């Protein structure tokens, strides 16, 4: 039924307006010529002349405003044309002229076949056939067979033209998702580039590839893969700006174009790339005249490849773009000057959420002197794209180890320091040596350091990254698989990874306290983790109730705004010295709300802490 309601791609406002304008003018001229050729005293001649003149005026007005013709107006024009033709047939002076005027109905048949969805086309064509046939029969002189012969011509014209119009449209449309295909993308990019060249405005393109799509096809079949592509196209179309062009260029690869700088397109793509249910990787490039859009797509493809190799679920910006180069230069200078500094978010034991932190995660922060605070998703991507993410990571790691080593309470309590690591760092040959040197210089114990890597990094298949993690473990450093629950295939590799912890992504745990199904899933993950000797950290804890439920489901550590926001070193030191003086969880946004619903269908066992097997010591 959806196909019957779909308007052909050729039905653009300009094309519809031009066609209706020409047909009205042509129909008006036919009426005027028939009136002029008829007997001078014929009673219907003035009416026919008036109808022809009216059609000429309407046609001229429609042609003049063809770019602004609303969809409703096209239906009104088609209905009006049917009425005008039927009236003109009735007032013509002789049967031959009546047939000639009735033949103008072929214009309506063409319009319905080309510019209307099939259901609307059927309605308009039926109305035209009934009106014309009735008018010919009432006029007299043309028998039923003659009227039906004309009807047959109209139906044939509408069908043939409709088929041709839809085939022309489908040549540029992907049959699975309804998005433009590669041909449609090329045509659209040429138009966008022409407009950008005239205005001098920016134009950026991106190639986006679903992560783990092959695993879906292999595990569930191609029908499931097709359904995933359709659902993904619908979701992306909903979250992207209306001005963005979205196309499917083949397989699980999509293209996006936007009249904006690359950094803005990268930000627009962030909900697509970080979608917990369907993570993706993206490469972004700027179109730079006089090159063609194909050259920008080629650079975007190279950036997409880097994103896949770097760990997936990320967006890479292709260089060199002026804005990106300038931001990279500022960031590199900030790294060298020590202006990129970590803040620390507490991790607390699930069985004692009100106690002192048992660990902290170091989160990099950078405030640009002009643009203000820059998101880590943006500046880390810039560092990766311009080849100095290793310098950035080393600076944050050293600063964090130095900060924590300066706090006697942190060392004495065995506080764990978790630091994020880029996939590109792990493939550096000397990463392990640099890590050992940092630990030696700062004096921070290796046993109290945890390297956090996203599950997409270890899913990516680069054995060098896994080998680096194994070498880090020989130093005594532990590994956490971050953002667990956002990818597809890490589950099958957990037994091969040198991991000590799983960190459940906030999107995975957000509804564990309100949805019994999600609660059971979290419990299953924690049980599996314990059987593998892994600890479980739940991220995104925003309310005390959520924390209590996650603790009851088997999570060992909790992290989130309800338990502590990221804070500078001085605040962390005060928290460690005086745990009771730390801000209460109820004072933070989202914590302690009275309207938090109870788990739907959850049993007491689902929400109450139970006995847990021993987990890796924190």
């Amino acid at each position: 039924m959806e196909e019957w309601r779909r308007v052909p791609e050729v039905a653009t406002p300009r094309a519809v307006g031009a066609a209706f304008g020409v047909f009205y003018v042509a129909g008006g001229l036919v009426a005027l010529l028939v009136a002029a050729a008829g007997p001078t005293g014929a009673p219907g001649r003035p009416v026919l002349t008036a109808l022809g003149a009216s059609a000429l005026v309407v046609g001229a007005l429609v042609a003049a405003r063809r770019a602004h013709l609303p969809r409703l107006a096209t239906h009104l024009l088609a209905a009006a044309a049917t009425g005008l033709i039927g009236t003109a047939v009735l007032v013509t002076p002789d049967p031959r002229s009546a047939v000639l005027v009735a033949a103008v109905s072929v214009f309506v048949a063409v319009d319905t076949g080309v510019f209307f969805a099939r259901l609307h086309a059927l309605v308009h064509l039926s109305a035209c056939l009934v009106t014309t046939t009735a008018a010919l029969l009432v006029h007299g002189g043309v028998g039923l067979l003659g009227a039906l012969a004309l009807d047959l011509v109209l139906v044939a014209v509408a069908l043939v033209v409709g088929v041709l119009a839809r085939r022309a449209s489908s040549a540029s449309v992907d049959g699975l998702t309804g998005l433009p295909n590669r041909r449609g993308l090329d045509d659209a990019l040429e138009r966008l580039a022409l407009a950008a060249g005239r205005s001098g405005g920016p134009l950026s393109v991106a190639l986006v590839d679903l992560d783990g799509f092959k695993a879906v096809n292999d595990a569930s079949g191609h029908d499931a893969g097709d359904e995933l592509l359709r659902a993904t196209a619908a979701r992306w179309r909903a979250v992207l700006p209306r001005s963005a062009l979205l196309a499917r260029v083949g397989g699980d690869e999509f293209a996006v174009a936007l009249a904006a700088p690359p950094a803005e397109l990268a930000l627009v793509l962030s909900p697509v790339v970080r979608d917990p249910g369907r993570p993706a990787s993206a490469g972004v490039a700027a179109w730079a005249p006089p090159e063609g859009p194909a050259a920008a797509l080629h650079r975007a493809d190279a950036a997409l490849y880097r994103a896949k190799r770097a760990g997936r679920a990320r967006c890479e910006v292709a260089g060199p773009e002026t804005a990106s180069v300038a931001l990279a230069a500022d960031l590199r200078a900030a790294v060298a000057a020590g202006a990129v500094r970590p803040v620390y978010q507490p991790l607390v034991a699930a069985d004692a959420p009100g106690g002192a932190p048992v660990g902290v995660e170091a989160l990099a922060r950078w405030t640009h002197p002009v643009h203000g605070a820059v998101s880590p998703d943006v500046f880390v991507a810039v560092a990766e794209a311009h080849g100095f993410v290793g310098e950035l990571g080393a600076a944050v790691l050293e600063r964090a180890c130095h900060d924590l080593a300066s706090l006697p309470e942190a060392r004495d309590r065995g506080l764990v320091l978790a630091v994020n690591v880029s996939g590109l760092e792990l493939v550096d040959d000397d990463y392990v040596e640099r890590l050992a040197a940092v630990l030696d210089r700062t004096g921070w114990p290796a046993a109290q350091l945890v390297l956090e890597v996203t599950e997409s990094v270890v899913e990516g298949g680069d054995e060098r990254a896994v080998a680096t993690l194994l070498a880090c473990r020989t130093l005594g450093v532990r590994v956490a698989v971050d953002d667990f629950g956002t990818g597809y295939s890490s589950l099958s590799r957990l037994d091969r990874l040198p991991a000590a912890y799983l960190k459940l992504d906030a999107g995975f745990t957000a509804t564990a306290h309100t949805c019994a199904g999600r609660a059971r899933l979290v419990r299953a993950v924690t049980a599996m983790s314990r059987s593998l000797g892994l600890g479980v950290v739940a991220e995104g804890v925003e309310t005390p109730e959520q924390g209590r439920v996650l603790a009851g489901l088997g999570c060992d550590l909790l992290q989130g705004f309800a338990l502590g926001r990221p804070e500078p070193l001085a605040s962390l030191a005060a928290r460690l010295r005086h745990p009771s003086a730390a801000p209460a969880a109820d004072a933070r946004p989202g914590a302690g709300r009275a309207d938090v619903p109870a788990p739907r269908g959850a049993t007491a066992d689902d929400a109450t802490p139970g006995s847990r097997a021993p987990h890796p010591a924190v």
Side-chain angles (χ1 to χ4, degrees):
M1 191 63 180
E2 182 65 28
E3 176 63 28
W4 280 76
R5 296 175 178 171
R6 185 178 301 162
V7 178
E9 289 288 319
V10 295
T12 62
R14 183 175 295 274
V16 173
F20 270 96
V22 169
F23 286 164
Y24 259 80
V25 169
L29 290 174
V30 169
L32 291 175
L33 290 174
V34 170
T40 303
R45 186 178 182 185
V47 177
L48 190 59
T49 301
L51 292 174
S54 299
L56 278 174
V57 172
V58 172
L61 291 175
V62 170
R65 296 178 57 83
R66 61 187 183 274
H68 306 283
L69 195 64
R71 176 61 56 184
L72 177 61
T74 63
H75 291 285
L76 295 177
L77 286 172
T82 295
L84 288 172
I85 293 170
T87 304
V89 170
L90 290 175
V91 300
T92 49
D94 59 83
R96 182 177 298 178
S97 298
V99 172
L100 181 60
V101 171
V104 175
S105 299
V106 73
F107 296 157
V108 177
V110 170
D111 285 337
T112 58
V114 176
F115 300 128
F116 292 116
R118 289 177 178 174
L119 186 61
H120 295 152
L122 180 62
V123 172
H124 281 296
L125 183 60
S126 299
C128 182
L129 294 175
V130 171
T131 301
T132 305
T133 302
L136 287 173
L137 293 178
V138 171
H139 184 280
V142 179
L144 178 61
L145 292 179
L148 291 178
L150 178 61
D151 292 343
L152 182 60
V153 172
L154 296 178
V155 172
V157 169
L159 287 176
V160 171
V161 170
V163 169
L164 292 177
R166 280 163 175 78
R167 287 198 173 183
S169 298
S170 63
S172 299
V173 176
D174 174 51
L176 182 65
T177 62
L179 299 174
N181 58 16
R182 187 56 185 256
R183 176 177 172 180
L185 173 67
D186 291 341
D187 293 342
L189 284 180
E190 290 292 341
R191 294 193 296 270
L192 290 173
L194 182 61
R198 288 173 176 172
S199 66
L203 175 63
S204 299
V205 298
L207 289 177
V208 189
D209 193 88
L210 282 173
D211 292 335
F213 179 73
K214 184 177 183 299
V216 175
N217 263 347
D218 293 344
S220 304
H222 291 285
D223 288 343
D226 289 347
E227 182 56 36
L228 175 59
L229 291 174
R230 281 191 290 266
T232 298
R235 175 167 174 76
W236 291 359
R237 183 68 278 173
V239 301
L240 291 173
R242 293 179 62 87
S243 57
L245 168 68
L246 176 63
R248 181 185 175 219
V249 295
D252 62 329
E253 189 172 75
F254 295 79
V256 181
L258 185 66
E264 183 175 333
L265 179 54
L267 291 176
V268 164
L269 290 173
S270 60
V272 168
V273 171
R274 300 292 294 170
D275 187 336
R278 306 182 188 96
S281 299
V284 179
W287 172 71
E291 71 176 8
L297 282 175
H298 180 73
R299 294 200 310 277
D301 187 50
L304 172 61
Y305 177 77
R306 291 200 304 271
K308 288 287 190 181
R309 290 295 304 273
R312 308 187 182 188
R314 62 182 62 231
C315 181
E316 290 275 352
V317 179
E321 289 90 17
T322 303
S324 178
V325 169
L327 187 64
D330 293 342
L331 176 59
R332 191 188 288 269
V335 170
V340 180
R341 307 173 69 90
V343 292
Y344 303 95
Q345 185 170 24
L347 291 90
V348 303
D351 52 7
V358 295
V360 293
E361 180 181 1
L363 303 169
R365 295 291 184 264
W366 177 42
T367 300
H368 191 278
V370 175
H371 304 298
V374 182
S375 168
D377 286 343
V378 173
F379 70 73
V380 171
V382 168
E384 291 177 335
H386 291 268
F388 63 94
V389 70
E391 300 169 32
L392 172 63
V396 172
L397 174 66
E398 180 141 7
R399 180 73 189 200
C401 290
H402 179 274
D403 283 352
L404 270 292
S406 69
L407 301 180
E409 298 86 359
R411 180 191 293 271
D412 296 343
R413 294 182 183 181
L415 193 76
V416 164
L417 170 62
V419 180
N420 292 280
V421 182
S422 165
L424 291 178
E425 291 183 84
L426 296 176
V427 297
D428 285 347
D429 294 335
D430 61 345
Y431 179 79
V432 178
E433 288 76 11
R434 288 190 283 112
L435 173 61
V438 168
L439 294 174
D440 184 59
R441 283 194 301 270
T442 62
W444 184 251
Q448 292 174 230
L449 177 65
V450 173
L451 302 178
E452 292 193 2
V453 297
T454 62
E455 66 163 319
S456 54
V457 169
V458 295
E459 180 195 337
D462 196 321
E463 295 301 328
R464 290 183 299 170
V466 176
T468 299
L469 294 176
L470 287 169
C472 291
R473 190 173 66 174
T474 63
L475 297 176
V477 174
R478 286 172 290 178
V479 175
V481 178
D482 198 7
D483 296 338
F484 186 81
T486 62
Y488 291 103
S489 63
S490 288
L491 199 62
S492 63
R493 303 191 61 189
L494 285 179
D495 60 339
R496 296 180 50 210
L497 297 176
Y501 302 96
L502 292 185
K503 295 193 71 174
L504 302 184
D505 185 75
F508 188 75
T509 61
T511 58
H513 63 303
T514 60
C515 176
R518 180 52 62 92
R520 286 191 290 270
L521 184 58
V522 172
R523 181 179 288 282
V525 171
T526 58
M528 175 202 66
S529 300
R530 287 195 299 275
S531 69
L532 294 174
L534 303 176
V536 177
V537 183
E539 296 182 298
V541 179
E542 295 187 354
T543 68
E545 172 66 13
Q546 185 183 2
R548 286 192 293 271
V549 171
L550 289 168
L553 295 175
C555 296
D556 304 299
L557 301 176
L558 305 177
Q559 182 180 5
F561 284 176
L563 306 164
R565 288 178 172 274
E567 57 191 5
L569 181 67
S571 299
L572 174 62
R575 180 190 292 270
L576 293 176
R577 286 194 296 268
H578 308 289
S580 60
D586 291 348
R588 299 185 177 91
R593 295 179 301 182
D595 60 344
V596 176
R600 295 193 297 271
T603 64
D605 180 61
D606 288 329
T608 304
S611 59
R612 292 198 291 270
H615 56 80
V618 177

